[in-house]
Amino acid sequence: MYVVKSPLTDANLKTVSEALQGALVDLVDLALVAKQIHWNVVGPRFRSVHLQLDEVVDTARRYSDTVAERAAALGISPDGRAATVAVGSGIGVTPEGWVDDTTAVGTLVEALGAVITRMRERVETTGEPDPVSQDIFIGITADLEKHHWMFQAENG
Ligand SMILES: [Fe+2]
């Protein structure tokens, strides 16, 4: 069922659709991973890491909404269901149970790195078909790279 008419050609829409849907599942999962670690971190740096993780959650949640609504605006139905996220996310398995602060920070460095790599690919693939979506991916990448820097500095 198509309700919203897309301004893009079918070929371009397919490329942009995959990029937006991929970004959506990565960002939903990033928010979940950051919350999981936010709740489970222990150790001398608990307070700073615990608070820093919620900044990632805020970024990931905000941009998941931006990406999903960009998809809808192009006539693409966004799929943020748990099963879809579990299958499609680019983030590896998060450690179970309590995590010491150094491992917690390392987990975020890896998770952010994985999402950033995929987000940079989306910047490349959407430039021609839809620079408006590309602009969103550029903004997301900049913010994720800022978080990535800060977590790397935490374990520096
Ligand atoms: Fe909290």
Side-chain angles (χ1 to χ4, degrees), residues 35 38 50 54:
K35 266 299 186 194
H38 170 86
H50 176 76
D54 256 354

Side-chain angles (χ1 to χ4, degrees), residues 34-90:
K35 266 299 186 194
Q36 173 70 14
I37 307 294
H38 170 86
W39 296 321
N40 279 283
V41 63
V42 293
R45 292 186 287 154
F46 166 80
R47 182 84 185 147
S48 63
V49 174
H50 176 76
L51 295 177
Q52 195 178 347
L53 283 157
D54 256 354
E55 294 174 10
V56 176
V57 173
D58 286 346
T59 298
R61 283 182 179 165
R62 180 161 44 87
Y63 280 129
S64 64
D65 197 53
T66 302
V67 161
E69 292 183 358
R70 176 65 189 157
L74 292 175
I76 304 157
S77 163
D79 187 352
R81 296 174 296 171
T84 307
V85 173
V87 169
S89 169

